[in-house]
Amino acid sequence: MRFGFIGLGDLGYAMARMIPEPLCVFDVSAPAMEPFRDRARLATSAGEVGQHADLIGLCVRNDQDVCDVISGAGGLIEHAAPGTVIAVHSTVMEQAARAAERGIFVFDAAVSGSADDALQKRQVCMTGGDPEILARARPLLDSFSRQIIHAGALGQGMVLKFANNLTTYLQLAATVESYALVEAAGIDPQMLTNVMADNGNLTRVMILYHQYRTEHAAETHDTPFWIAQQALAGLAEKDLHHAIEAGAAHGLELRAADAIRTHFRAIIT
């Protein structure tokens, strides 16, 4: 089995580090590939990964990146051999139909967890598609996942991820506003932590996020913290847009998702 991985940002880098050899990697940023020079082939394009891998993980930023990598000029459809399997880890909808015309199999493999979770093999992978294709992809997914969930047909893994992320963003917004309320009232924030830890309201994500905001509270515009917050807001807006679309496709109006998408950036920044 020859492995490939495209997209070596913080999360993609961690996932790719866990994948066994032989491995071929690509990122539009050449410096992002340098840490792999000692253990992987450094491709010059997405298409080159397709030429040197049978099972490819894809962790890029957005819908357009997925389209470019899979079916764009010089992409995987042009260069990958029939029978190649592509696992799309980004929270975007895939191009399975176009790939299938060339005998290339695409399935959704959304992940939940941080880069550190990937390095500790603690990610949860949510998949959708043909179970036989998923079985072929397990050597890749097992390398960074503690649990692989098959949600159903193609696209269902992404819907499961959208639902999970909706809950996460609601929790983060609630964290910011809850602590802001007690601080404005002159109450020690630790008292709120004690109450919510006791009654179960305070999740691991909320604890970590509150600690992160507290540690960087003095930082202002254009600092690494501010840039990270802007990136988080962009991811939230994208994920919530997909959640709302998925809800509409099933006859649901996701009012909380719509409200938090509208106000998330203002709440956290």
Side-chain angles (χ1 to χ4, degrees):
M1 181 72 72
R2 301 176 303 163
F3 298 99
F5 203 90
I6 299 172
L8 302 172
D10 288 344
L11 182 57
Y13 164 83
M15 295 164 69
R17 291 299 294 187
M18 301 298 288
I19 297 171
E21 300 178 36
L23 174 65
C24 180
V25 300
F26 175 70
D27 193 280
V28 292
S29 168
M33 293 192 288
E34 280 303 312
F36 292 89
R37 185 170 292 279
D38 63 336
R39 62 179 300 267
R41 181 187 184 96
L42 307 187
T44 58
S45 67
E48 186 178 339
V49 176
Q51 293 173 333
H52 294 278
D54 311 302
L55 179 52
I56 302 168
L58 180 58
C59 189
V60 293
R61 297 171 300 175
N62 53 42
D63 300 61
Q64 188 58 54
D65 284 351
V66 170
C67 294
D68 291 344
V69 168
I70 294 179
S71 60
L76 294 174
I77 287 179
E78 281 188 21
H79 294 282
T84 298
V85 176
I86 304 170
V88 181
H89 304 299
S90 310
T91 310
V92 291
M93 300 310 287
E94 75 313 300
Q95 291 198 319
R98 296 185 67 177
E101 294 174 0
R102 296 288 298 272
I104 297 168
F105 304 103
V106 176
F107 71 99
D108 41 309
V111 292
S112 175
S114 66
D116 184 61
D117 289 328
L119 291 170
Q120 299 298 321
K121 199 176 177 180
R122 293 196 306 250
Q123 288 209 331
V124 176
C125 188
M126 296 156 279
T127 68
D130 188 335
E132 293 184 6
I133 300 303
L134 173 59
R136 289 174 55 186
R138 276 191 172 272
L140 176 83
L141 306 181
D142 282 337
S143 65
F144 48 76
S145 303
R146 71 171 179 225
Q147 182 178 185
I148 300 171
I149 298 172
H150 183 223
L154 198 67
Q156 295 292 75
M158 293 299 184
V159 174
L160 190 57
K161 167 86 174 204
F162 301 153
N164 175 75
N165 284 4
L166 168 57
T167 300
T168 297
Y169 295 130
L170 288 169
Q171 289 175 344
L172 297 185
T175 301
V176 174
E177 294 199 338
S178 296
Y179 280 98
L181 175 59
V182 296
E183 289 175 13
I187 300 170
D188 182 353
Q190 184 60 43
M191 293 182 178
L192 179 60
T193 299
N194 293 343
V195 170
M196 294 199 298
D198 183 73
N199 64 25
N201 278 353
L202 200 61
T203 67
R204 181 176 73 97
V205 169
M206 294 168 73
I207 292 170
L208 293 174
Y209 190 64
H210 175 61
Q211 291 174 344
Y212 181 63
R213 282 181 59 86
T214 301
E215 290 169 2
H216 297 275
E219 297 184 21
T220 55
H221 188 76
D222 287 337
T223 64
F225 171 70
W226 182 86
I227 293 170
Q229 293 293 78
Q230 295 299 317
L232 174 62
L235 286 172
E237 289 162 355
K238 173 180 70 71
D239 289 353
L240 292 167
H241 168 76
H242 285 305
I244 291 165
E245 279 192 336
H250 294 282
L252 295 175
E253 182 182 359
L254 301 182
R255 296 181 180 88
D258 190 46
I260 203 67
R261 179 182 60 167
T262 300
H263 300 292
F264 189 79
R265 187 179 296 270
I267 291 171
I268 68 166
T269 58

